[in-house]
Amino acid sequence: MSTSDQPDATSGLEDDEVIFRIGEPDKNILYIVYDGRVTLTGTDGSSTLYEAVALLGLSSYFDDEPYSLTARAAGPCQLIEVPFSAVRCLEREHPALADALSHIIADRIRAGTAQWRTGAVGALSQPVRWAMTAPLVCLPGGASLTEAYQLMAARGIGSLGVVDGQDRLIGLATIKSLAHRLLIERQSPDAQLSTAAMPARRISPDAALWQAEEIQAREALKYLVVAENDRPLGMLSQSNLIETIRAHQTLLRDRVERTGTLADLQALAAELPSVARQAREANREASRAVTQLSEFHLQLQRRCVEILLTELASEGLAPPPRRYALLVMGSLARRESLLNPDQDNALIIADNRPGETEPSPLDDRERRWFDTFADRLNHRLDALGYDWCQGHIMARTPVWHRQLGQWRQWVMTATRHPNGDRARWANIFLDFELLQGDAGLVDALWRAVLEAFAQHRKLLRFMAADDAEGTPALGLFNRLVTSEREEARGRVDIKRNGMRILANGCRIYALGHQVRATGTLARLQALRHQGVLTPDKVDSLVAAQEALLGLLLDHQLRQWGEGRRPDKYIAPDALDEMQRQALVTSLRAIRRFQDRVQGVFGL
């Protein structure tokens, strides 16, 4: 840190002395209230009093925008001034500071989205009492730890209520809390159960399920006790919520499986907007709604394959001559597809014929079968509403259907001899998951991918360089940057200049740390579990992903309702202030992450 970057202690501010005013350009300084008090006043005249130790100017540090509040001393006070350049150095040198700022970013994103998200009106609008497990299994606080464990084991449950002599709830005992008392604190198995009772978060039986889901997500809770007047009625777990939503999905899956022709499937695919709207209404988290919508896309496409195989058999074509795996890639493999994904698919063909162990190339008959299958599949999916991929990343294209050994050879060559083209290819392909066929082929290819990256990491640097060609849609002073392309002029490409950058960074990190998951959120959680990314960093990125998915899904649903083709372009002028702020802060979090990816993996 240079001498000019050193913090400068400032003392002697008098009562009512102004530190900065609304609308003034930021001074590139973070203020720390070291002693005394400061009042912050907004445009509406409302004021908040801050005491030592408080930070002032964080909004300007994050957003490079003029001050949105007026700060003035409330009596004599002393400030420490830290130049923004010094704060950036401290972020790099002290991960704890970077984590604290990431936590603040996540809070800001969620504060913005909470203002414009509506309550669920679908499955999660039902009252808690409809989904809870009742009655709540309880034991008096005077029971022993051994009795509690034996009861949990006998009932096959992971928690129980602890009550007093009047059956009022004391708390919740779980397998984890019992283990802590017995193994960590070395308490006697005869110790009273009340010693293992943890504070229980309670919810009214008449509260909506979406409110329960929001509490569980916000407070990282697995269980909520449903209680009325301190009397426990039942338990609401995350599994209860999942089952409530899954019931609707099961009905959809059954309808898909009953279709017998492509025309039947087309009629069902026409209901995609309705399915998307119901998923959005049934979930407070946009990512869960998008996952449900992606699963419906996958069900439609799997059924399309099954109908095609029946069609081929009716024409006298034998069953597939070899094992194969049909892959999906990109957003559908990550379970992040919205209303109108295009086709991104590929084909792995087994190296050996049935009953043989030695690999052999495809003969003419085998090649014709797979060429016919892939070509018809892409045409059928196009007829179903999945557009032809403009880059021809489809199974019918020769480079996208190969034998397993050929795929392995490509991975080996790309990792040993990386370049820009191979990096771009890897950024497209390495989100692959099974759509239909032999899961063993997919697992074998993923093993080859992870082994190759464990031995040769240089391709990650080229992938990071390829990612750096795109940037979040933020310009000077964190102004939203709109597209100049004709079809998107004046709007923000929220996928290309936001979500894709986050997905790319997570892919690079995941491959660099042997993470097999493909979904963006799943990769983030796996990296957190491994200690690669801190909980606060992951939290800020999860919040950003949720905000962008929510904005984009709501945008596409509005377009479809108006009879327009859904796209990925958001008009800033169409957003209210809270939505715009959530978008800006989310892109800011993604830009910070992209900078980190470049710092760790960049050329």
Side-chain angles (χ1 to χ4, degrees), residues 250-259 265 267-268 271:
T250 301
L251 293 174
L252 283 174
R253 185 175 63 249
D254 291 344
R255 291 184 64 198
V256 172
E257 291 176 352
R258 286 197 300 269
T259 56
L265 206 56
L268 195 53
E271 297 183 26

Side-chain angles (χ1 to χ4, degrees), residues 218-265:
R218 184 176 63 247
E219 302 180 20
L221 297 174
K222 186 176 181 180
Y223 301 104
L224 296 177
V225 174
V226 184
E228 198 167 42
N229 300 324
D230 283 337
R231 306 287 177 177
L233 302 178
M235 175 76 74
L236 187 76
S237 68
Q238 291 174 341
S239 298
N240 294 133
L241 292 171
I242 292 171
E243 287 302 319
T244 300
I245 297 170
R246 186 179 294 165
H248 175 68
Q249 291 179 284
T250 301
L251 293 174
L252 283 174
R253 185 175 63 249
D254 291 344
R255 291 184 64 198
V256 172
E257 291 176 352
R258 286 197 300 269
T259 56
T261 66
L262 182 63
D264 294 337
L265 206 56

Side-chain angles (χ1 to χ4, degrees), residues 188 195 360 477 517 539-540 550:
S188 166
T195 63
S360 60
F477 309 114
D539 192 39
S540 68

Side-chain angles (χ1 to χ4, degrees), residues 88-395:
R88 294 186 182 98
C89 288
L90 290 170
E91 275 202 80
R92 290 192 294 269
E93 296 170 4
H94 300 280
L97 175 61
D99 289 344
L101 295 177
S102 293
H103 183 76
I104 293 171
I105 289 174
D107 285 346
R108 291 182 64 183
I109 294 172
R110 291 195 173 101
T113 57
Q115 297 299 319
W116 50 268
R117 284 189 306 183
T118 58
V121 297
L124 293 188
S125 65
Q126 302 174 56
V128 165
R129 66 169 73 247
W130 287 15
M132 70 182 185
T133 300
L136 177 64
V137 178
C138 296
L139 275 179
S144 69
L145 299 180
T146 297
E147 289 174 312
Y149 176 77
Q150 290 174 337
L151 180 60
M152 288 186 194
R155 300 284 185 90
I157 57 178
S159 64
L160 51 79
V162 183
V163 295
D164 62 15
Q166 284 75 47
D167 289 331
R168 293 174 302 194
L169 188 68
I170 297 173
L172 200 63
T174 65
I175 293 293
K176 182 178 179 179
S177 70
L178 293 180
H180 185 84
R181 296 298 184 269
L182 292 167
L183 302 178
I184 305 300
E185 297 184 357
R186 302 290 184 181
Q187 288 195 16
S188 166
D190 295 324
Q192 290 192 351
L193 178 59
S194 58
T195 63
M198 309 299 292
R201 185 67 158 86
R202 308 177 195 191
I203 191 168
S204 165
D206 296 318
L209 285 172
W210 67 260
Q211 294 174 305
E213 183 190 40
E214 193 168 71
I215 293 170
Q216 287 179 326
R218 184 176 63 247
E219 302 180 20
L221 297 174
K222 186 176 181 180
Y223 301 104
L224 296 177
V225 174
V226 184
E228 198 167 42
N229 300 324
D230 283 337
R231 306 287 177 177
L233 302 178
M235 175 76 74
L236 187 76
S237 68
Q238 291 174 341
S239 298
N240 294 133
L241 292 171
I242 292 171
E243 287 302 319
T244 300
I245 297 170
R246 186 179 294 165
H248 175 68
Q249 291 179 284
T250 301
L251 293 174
L252 283 174
R253 185 175 63 249
D254 291 344
R255 291 184 64 198
V256 172
E257 291 176 352
R258 286 197 300 269
T259 56
T261 66
L262 182 63
D264 294 337
L265 206 56
Q266 287 173 319
L268 195 53
E271 297 183 26
L272 268 168
S274 175
V275 172
R277 188 173 299 282
Q278 290 177 31
R280 184 59 168 140
E281 291 174 347
N283 294 278
R284 293 286 288 173
E285 299 299 332
S287 62
R288 188 174 292 174
V290 171
T291 297
Q292 290 179 26
L293 181 57
S294 297
E295 290 293 344
F296 187 57
H297 284 300
L298 292 170
Q299 290 165 18
L300 291 172
Q301 293 195 12
R302 288 191 192 102
R303 186 57 184 153
C304 185
V305 176
E306 293 167 356
I307 292 173
L308 173 59
L309 290 172
T310 301
E311 176 187 316
L312 292 174
S314 70
E315 296 174 7
L317 294 177
R322 298 193 186 201
R323 292 180 300 122
Y324 70 91
L326 180 62
L327 307 178
V328 287
M329 297 173 290
S331 62
L332 192 51
R334 297 193 303 269
R335 306 301 196 269
E336 295 165 12
S337 284
L338 297 171
L339 287 178
N340 57 343
D342 59 6
Q343 294 190 49
D344 288 309
N345 45 53
L347 198 60
I348 306 174
I349 304 170
D351 288 327
N352 55 290
R353 297 185 179 94
E356 299 180 2
T357 57
E358 293 299 317
S360 60
L362 299 177
D363 61 27
D364 289 343
R365 181 185 66 85
E366 292 172 323
R367 188 175 296 106
R368 282 195 301 274
W369 193 96
F370 284 110
D371 287 348
T372 301
F373 171 72
D375 183 65
R376 288 201 194 178
L377 172 68
N378 290 142
H379 281 90
R380 297 297 185 275
L381 290 175
D382 181 63
L384 194 57
Y386 297 99
D387 290 345
W388 213 258
C389 175
Q390 295 182 355
H392 298 284
I393 304 170
M394 297 181 294

Side-chain angles (χ1 to χ4, degrees), residues 20 84 158 386 397 452:
F20 51 77
F84 284 173
Y386 297 99
T397 307

Side-chain angles (χ1 to χ4, degrees), residues 277-574:
R277 188 173 299 282
Q278 290 177 31
R280 184 59 168 140
E281 291 174 347
N283 294 278
R284 293 286 288 173
E285 299 299 332
S287 62
R288 188 174 292 174
V290 171
T291 297
Q292 290 179 26
L293 181 57
S294 297
E295 290 293 344
F296 187 57
H297 284 300
L298 292 170
Q299 290 165 18
L300 291 172
Q301 293 195 12
R302 288 191 192 102
R303 186 57 184 153
C304 185
V305 176
E306 293 167 356
I307 292 173
L308 173 59
L309 290 172
T310 301
E311 176 187 316
L312 292 174
S314 70
E315 296 174 7
L317 294 177
R322 298 193 186 201
R323 292 180 300 122
Y324 70 91
L326 180 62
L327 307 178
V328 287
M329 297 173 290
S331 62
L332 192 51
R334 297 193 303 269
R335 306 301 196 269
E336 295 165 12
S337 284
L338 297 171
L339 287 178
N340 57 343
D342 59 6
Q343 294 190 49
D344 288 309
N345 45 53
L347 198 60
I348 306 174
I349 304 170
D351 288 327
N352 55 290
R353 297 185 179 94
E356 299 180 2
T357 57
E358 293 299 317
S360 60
L362 299 177
D363 61 27
D364 289 343
R365 181 185 66 85
E366 292 172 323
R367 188 175 296 106
R368 282 195 301 274
W369 193 96
F370 284 110
D371 287 348
T372 301
F373 171 72
D375 183 65
R376 288 201 194 178
L377 172 68
N378 290 142
H379 281 90
R380 297 297 185 275
L381 290 175
D382 181 63
L384 194 57
Y386 297 99
D387 290 345
W388 213 258
C389 175
Q390 295 182 355
H392 298 284
I393 304 170
M394 297 181 294
R396 70 187 300 272
T397 307
V399 73
W400 293 104
H401 73 261
R402 313 181 186 195
Q403 290 180 253
L404 177 61
Q406 294 171 318
W407 283 112
R408 284 170 165 160
Q409 183 59 49
W410 181 89
V411 171
M412 186 182 302
T413 301
T415 53
R416 289 182 177 178
H417 309 288
N419 57 36
D421 289 340
R422 287 169 177 161
R424 187 165 297 108
W425 202 95
N427 270 330
I428 293 170
F429 180 64
L430 294 179
D431 283 341
F432 66 87
E433 287 291 358
L434 177 69
L435 175 65
Q436 191 269 351
D438 192 312
L441 295 172
V442 181
D443 292 340
L445 183 54
W446 264 116
R447 284 196 300 272
V449 168
L450 295 178
E451 288 169 5
F453 276 96
Q455 297 173 18
H456 307 283
R457 297 174 58 85
K458 193 174 180 180
L459 181 59
L460 294 171
R461 296 167 59 189
F462 283 89
M463 291 171 68
D466 179 61
D467 171 61
E469 294 181 7
T471 57
L474 292 175
L476 291 175
F477 309 114
N478 281 324
R479 300 292 192 265
L480 290 169
V481 175
T482 58
S483 176
E484 296 182 355
R485 299 197 307 277
E486 183 63 33
E487 74 274 14
R489 193 176 305 278
R491 296 183 288 169
V492 176
D493 189 334
I494 199 170
K495 189 170 183 179
R496 178 187 296 271
N497 298 115
M499 292 162 56
R500 189 175 73 175
I501 295 169
L502 177 56
N504 286 349
C506 290
R507 181 186 309 110
I508 293 166
Y509 253 110
L511 293 170
H513 292 276
Q514 298 291 289
V515 172
R516 163 69 173 80
T518 52
T520 299
L521 297 183
R523 282 168 167 165
L524 285 171
Q525 296 302 342
L527 292 166
R528 179 178 67 84
H529 291 155
Q530 289 189 10
V532 177
L533 297 178
T534 64
D536 285 323
K537 170 60 71 176
V538 169
D539 192 39
S540 68
L541 296 174
V542 169
Q545 175 82 340
E546 290 288 355
L548 296 184
L549 281 173
L551 281 170
L552 190 50
L553 181 55
D554 291 344
H555 166 71
Q556 290 196 347
L557 286 171
R558 281 194 300 271
Q559 288 183 310
W560 207 298
E562 295 166 358
R564 294 186 289 149
R565 182 176 176 80
D567 59 35
K568 55 188 177 180
Y569 311 121
I570 299 289
D573 293 344

